[in-house]
């Protein structure tokens, strides 16, 4: 990512508070939504916004990782982390464009508790985000009604899994698919939106509301 | 199962019941939430016919996809089982455990898919007889570590694309779809690690697929990477956002059943 794109990105984050009221989902019931929250919406749109939110979080994280490399970073690590930054940016921009006027606004992230100069801290956070992303897409597949969107989610989740495996191996070689990620049936994790959003919440100043997301 | 009997009884009395209540998916959800192999064993078979109303997918359609997946898992399971036993993986290195981890997953996938297919009152396909040299194209697959890893990478990347290509055919069955997605991402984790193993030995293979590049394996496996160079998603040009390489890497592409069967046919003797 070049400096220009990074500045564009941070500019979008700054504008997010103003865009809150632009999130107008037709026919959604926002009763019970806490004031100041962002409604992800309903149906497939809601699921795409849910994915868009996660990709925004990941893109912002890796953007910062690349801008402020941790101490002791190797050339290979720097290069492949920049790749991941680009992949997450591609996912984010794709969802934003695909959703158009139905997109949630740019989110404000909160990375105050991440020590970006520490390799251990950065990789632990990256692992958490990638495993979370994999489990989120795996869990959201069944909530998608349109097979075309399901395929798109499938195209993305395997790339997140490639990331997760590489990050895990950086932390501990051979942990790419250990028992913390894969169960006795050889199945990866799958998580419902509520638990995924709860895990993501500490890293977001913006508050997301999933009350209109499909549940089955 | 009482639940399926109940639902069937209602359905017989009131054909629009599901459309009015969307209970198809709720019923499956209550079963899916139990989780694990035991719940799948108890899948109410009769529900399959109900899904047809919504998506036109029958139980037979779904088990056909599962048998397709089972065939690919047989291929991978036997490949890693034989590879581990052959001594082709350098003794005393971390690679031994990595290959055993992957082997165990592929064998678990075989057992899991077999259980699911049987639970849906269908018959799991028999394990084919394999030729991992692919008629001599990979003659030293179990004596040359680099050849072994090249074939492993091809199987994993192909497996990812194969599951992706047929996920839509499972959309009517939440439980089976979720399980297939959970296998799909494990194959991607494997692919990432195998590619790292090749990278460590000097191959130009990042954990993700760039363009339609085979990672230096060459034309023998080109079909497994055909189409990965795609940079448009849902008519949106990803190159408007990132460079061409990243645009291809960021999305793994599906393969059709015909494409996958053509790829694996040289490895199947009978």
């Amino acid at each position: 990512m070049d400096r220009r794109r990074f500045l564009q990105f941070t500019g979008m984050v700054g504008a997010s508070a103003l865009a809150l009221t632009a999130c107008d989902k037709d026919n959604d019931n926002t009763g019970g939504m806490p004031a100041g929250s962002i409604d992800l919406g309903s149906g497939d749109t809601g699921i795409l916004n849910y994915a868009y939110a996660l990709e925004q979080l990941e893109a912002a994280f890796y953007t910062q990782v690349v801008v402020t490399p941790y101490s002791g970073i190797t050339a290979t690590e720097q290069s492949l982390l920049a790749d991941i930054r680009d992949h997450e940016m591609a996912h984010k921009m794709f969802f934003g464009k695909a959703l158009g006027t139905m997109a949630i606004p740019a989110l404000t992230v909160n990375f105050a508790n991440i020590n970006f100069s520490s390799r251990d801290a950065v990789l632990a956070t990256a692992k958490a985000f990638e495993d979370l992303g994999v489990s989120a897409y795996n869990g959201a597949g069944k909530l998608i009604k349109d097979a075309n969107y399901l395929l798109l989610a499938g195209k993305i989740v395997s790339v997140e899994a490639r990331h997760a495996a590489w990050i895990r191996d950086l932390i501990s070689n051979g942990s790419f698919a250990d028992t913390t990620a894969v169960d006795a049936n050889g199945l990866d994790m799958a998580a419902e939106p509520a638990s995924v959003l709860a895990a993501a919440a500490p890293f977001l100043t913006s508050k997301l509301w999933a009350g209109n997301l499909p549940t089955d | 199962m009482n639940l399926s009997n109940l639902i069937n009884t209602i359905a017989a009395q009131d054909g629009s019941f599901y459309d009015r209540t969307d209970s198809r998916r709720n019923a499956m959800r209550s079963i899916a939430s139990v989780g694990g192999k035991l719940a799948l064993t108890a899948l109410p078979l009769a529900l399959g016919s109900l899904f047809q109303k919504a998506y036109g997918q029958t139980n037979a359609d779904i088990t056909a996809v599962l048998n397709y997946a089972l065939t690919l898992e047989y291929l991978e399971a036997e490949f890693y089982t034989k590879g581990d036993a052959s001594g082709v993986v350098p003794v005393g290195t971390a690679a031994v455990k990595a290959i055993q981890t992957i082997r165990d997953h592929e064998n678990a996938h075989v057992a899991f898919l077999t259980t699911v297919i049987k639970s849906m009152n269908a018959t799991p396909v028999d394990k084919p007889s394999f030729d991992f040299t692919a008629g001599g194209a990979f003659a030293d697959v179990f004596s040359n570590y680099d050849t072994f890893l090249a074939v492993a990478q091809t199987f994993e990347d192909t497996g990812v694309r194969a599951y992706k290509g047929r996920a839509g055919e499972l959309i009517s069955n939440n439980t089976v779809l979720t399980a297939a997605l959970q296998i799909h991402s494990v194959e991607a984790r494997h692919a990432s690690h195998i590619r790292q193993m090749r990278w460590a030995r000097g191959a130009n293979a990042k954990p993700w697929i760039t363009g339609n590049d085979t990672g230096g394996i060459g034309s023998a496996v080109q079909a497994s990477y055909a189409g990965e160079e795609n940079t448009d998603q849902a008519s949106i040009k990803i190159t408007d956002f990132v460079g061409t390489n990243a645009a291809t890497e960021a999305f793994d592409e599906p393969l059709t059943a015909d494409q996958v069967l053509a790829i694996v046919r040289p490895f199947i003797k009978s």
Side-chain angles (χ1 to χ4, degrees):
Chain A
M1 150 130 8
D2 55 30
R3 176 181 152 77
R4 180 182 54 80
R5 200 180 297 137
F6 176 69
L7 290 173
Q8 277 179 351
F9 172 77
T10 52
M12 286 170 59
V13 170
S16 66
L18 298 174
L20 270 182
T21 52
C23 186
D24 181 18
K25 305 295 180 296
D26 53 337
N27 299 325
D28 280 7
N29 177 7
T30 52
M33 184 173 86
S37 298
I38 298 169
D39 176 22
L40 291 172
S42 61
D44 282 356
T45 298
I47 298 300
L48 296 182
N49 265 323
Y50 167 56
Y52 181 40
L54 296 177
E55 297 294 351
Q56 287 193 48
L57 177 62
E58 289 188 307
F61 171 73
Y62 288 106
T63 296
Q64 188 64 49
V65 168
V66 171
V67 169
T68 55
Y70 52 75
S71 54
I73 196 168
T74 69
T76 297
E77 288 169 9
Q78 186 132 32
S79 172
L80 294 188
L81 286 166
D83 275 8
I84 296 180
R85 184 264 328 265
D86 286 352
H87 302 163
E88 309 299 8
M89 189 64 71
H91 298 161
K92 178 190 107 168
M93 299 296 282
F94 165 75
F95 281 120
K97 180 116 182 197
L99 282 157
T101 59
M102 299 301 283
I104 56 169
L107 302 179
T108 307
V109 297
N110 173 17
F111 295 151
N113 292 324
I114 302 171
N115 179 0
F116 282 93
S117 66
S118 160
R119 184 179 190 271
D120 288 352
V122 168
L123 294 183
T125 308
K127 170 175 175 269
F129 283 172
E130 297 294 349
D131 280 343
L132 185 68
V134 171
S135 69
Y137 280 104
N138 281 347
K142 69 179 181 187
L143 306 178
I144 298 173
K145 295 281 195 288
D146 183 321
N148 295 309
Y149 294 142
L150 176 62
L151 175 59
L152 278 162
K155 290 182 178 201
I156 292 173
V157 65
S158 57
V159 175
E160 305 292 354
R162 291 174 188 272
H163 295 167
W166 177 66
I167 297 284
R168 283 170 153 268
D169 284 335
L170 278 186
I171 294 170
S172 175
N173 184 34
S175 67
F176 58 100
D178 67 16
T179 54
T180 63
V182 180
D183 71 14
N185 287 323
L187 305 186
D188 211 321
M189 298 171 280
E192 301 289 338
S195 67
V196 171
L197 291 171
F203 301 98
L204 290 170
T205 303
S206 304
K207 301 296 180 202
L208 300 173
W209 193 65
N212 283 312
L213 286 189
T215 56
D216 61 75
Chain B
M1 172 174 279
N2 290 335
L3 176 62
S4 65
N5 288 340
L6 176 63
I7 291 172
N8 281 336
T9 303
I10 297 168
Q13 301 299 319
D14 179 356
S16 67
F17 175 76
Y18 297 101
D19 293 330
R20 291 190 291 106
T21 65
D22 201 27
S23 282
R24 291 184 310 276
R25 309 190 86 180
N26 284 334
M28 286 309 296
R29 182 174 158 74
S30 67
I31 293 154
S33 66
V34 178
K37 191 182 284 186
L38 283 175
L40 282 160
T41 308
L43 266 178
L45 314 172
L47 282 177
S49 63
L50 302 176
F51 295 131
Q52 212 177 343
K53 285 159 58 91
Y55 290 100
Q57 291 170 352
T58 64
N59 233 30
D61 293 335
I62 287 169
T63 53
V65 176
L66 294 175
N67 265 323
Y68 166 81
L70 177 59
T71 303
L72 298 177
E73 297 292 350
Y74 277 137
L75 174 79
E76 292 184 307
E78 185 165 310
F79 173 73
Y80 290 109
T81 299
K82 286 195 165 170
D84 177 66
S86 71
V88 68
V89 184
V91 176
T93 68
V96 173
K97 185 160 181 291
I99 293 300
Q100 289 172 347
T101 296
I102 297 175
R103 174 201 64 190
D104 291 349
H105 290 160
E106 309 300 7
N107 280 300
H109 293 163
V110 167
F112 180 79
L113 290 170
T114 300
T115 301
V116 176
I117 292 166
K118 285 180 179 170
S119 78
M120 298 179 78
N121 264 5
T123 305
V125 291
D126 291 334
K127 183 170 73 67
S129 176
F130 295 114
D131 168 19
F132 293 107
T133 75
F138 305 103
D140 56 358
V141 63
F142 291 131
S143 58
N144 180 322
Y145 183 43
D146 290 310
T147 304
F148 175 76
L149 290 179
V151 174
Q153 179 194 302
T154 305
F155 284 168
E156 297 295 347
D157 283 335
T158 302
V160 171
R161 303 187 67 183
Y163 275 95
K164 206 186 313 292
R166 301 197 73 176
E169 296 176 58
L170 306 174
I171 199 166
S172 65
N173 188 320
N174 286 350
T175 305
V176 172
L177 172 64
T178 302
L181 290 172
Q182 289 174 282
I183 295 177
H184 168 249
S185 60
V186 170
E187 303 295 350
R189 288 177 187 268
H190 294 170
S192 175
H193 190 77
I194 295 285
R195 296 174 71 94
Q196 291 177 61
M197 293 167 82
R198 294 191 65 242
W199 170 284
R201 293 179 60 79
N204 188 20
K206 296 193 288 190
W208 26 91
I209 300 168
T210 308
N212 62 359
D213 187 62
T214 63
I217 300 172
S219 59
V221 303
Q222 190 61 60
S224 290
Y225 296 90
E228 284 285 1
E229 70 278 14
N230 179 31
T231 55
D232 289 357
Q233 302 297 341
S235 304
I236 293 169
K237 293 198 177 312
I238 306 302
T239 47
D240 285 351
F241 315 132
V242 297
T244 302
N245 282 350
T248 66
E249 292 164 355
F251 296 83
D252 282 337
E253 298 296 326
L255 286 172
T256 65
D258 285 348
Q259 288 173 307
V260 170
L261 294 173
I263 287 165
V264 302
R265 192 167 295 123
F267 295 96
I268 296 178
K269 276 194 292 196
S270 61

